[in-house]
Amino acid sequence: MRTLLSPIAFAIVAAAVPAYAATPAEVFAKAKMTGVWAEDCEQRRVSGGVYEVVAIGDDGTVVSTLHMGSHTILYTVLEAELRTPTELRYRISSSEEDVTYSLVERVEGDRRRVFSSQGSDGFVGMREGKYQDGSERSEEHTSELQSH
């Protein structure tokens, strides 16, 4: 004799099973975030050009290496989630600071754009795609990177 679960019993069982959380490596691979990224492809090729390399290590760790001329900063992705097919939220730690950063990026094809960034110290770098640091940059300027 077969027994079917009632809708209420099914809901209780389903709620008791923890949801699967994808690893940062799975999220970054699905979002196609790995590779070499730069605001200006030509500047990446010249000495002192600014670009970022995002890679998944053999141990599954997602690492972002930001190259700014002779200065390099290493970031490790601590957690990540794909909110929508084009929006990624992740948290990183820096090799140079005791602050973690939470970012939301929008990814469309071979372009990605930082939509928001905030440090664990409360510093807000970007909000709704615009810089918040009071610099002379245009409010229209956004941090958009292209895959190479």
Side-chain angles (χ1 to χ4, degrees):
M1 176 181 210
R2 285 183 170 168
T3 305
L4 295 176
L5 288 176
S6 72
I8 294 173
F10 179 76
I12 292 170
V13 171
V17 176
Y20 172 74
T23 67
E26 292 168 330
V27 171
F28 270 64
K30 185 171 184 175
K32 298 182 178 152
M33 287 278 288
T34 58
V36 179
W37 299 84
E39 284 188 26
D40 182 334
C41 300
E42 295 307 314
Q43 285 297 312
R44 178 182 71 83
R45 293 179 179 88
V46 300
S47 177
V50 177
Y51 64 98
E52 177 185 20
V53 178
V54 180
I56 300 172
D58 292 339
D59 64 354
T61 302
V62 179
V63 176
S64 166
T65 307
L66 181 61
H67 300 272
M68 300 176 298
S70 62
H71 188 76
T72 300
I73 302 174
L74 185 70
Y75 295 96
T76 302
V77 177
L78 304 172
E79 60 186 45
E81 72 172 314
L82 202 53
R83 291 178 157 182
T84 70
T86 61
E87 188 172 279
L88 174 76
R89 186 203 63 79
Y90 60 101
R91 192 167 61 89
I92 57 174
S93 65
S94 163
S95 62
E96 297 188 348
E97 302 175 79
D98 290 330
V99 176
T100 61
Y101 296 93
S102 293
L103 295 102
V104 174
E105 290 199 31
R106 295 200 173 142
V107 183
E108 295 179 5
D110 66 348
R111 295 188 180 275
R112 61 185 250 230
R113 180 174 167 232
V114 176
F115 190 70
S116 70
S117 66
Q118 181 168 348
S120 58
D121 60 357
F123 173 77
V124 176
M126 294 191 82
R127 181 176 291 131
E128 299 201 17
K130 295 181 180 152
Y131 288 101
Q132 301 295 302
D133 65 1
S135 70
E136 295 180 16
R137 291 174 281 204
S138 163
E139 287 196 15
E140 308 303 318
H141 181 77
T142 60
S143 179
E144 183 172 307
L145 302 176
Q146 185 169 2
S147 177
H148 302 280

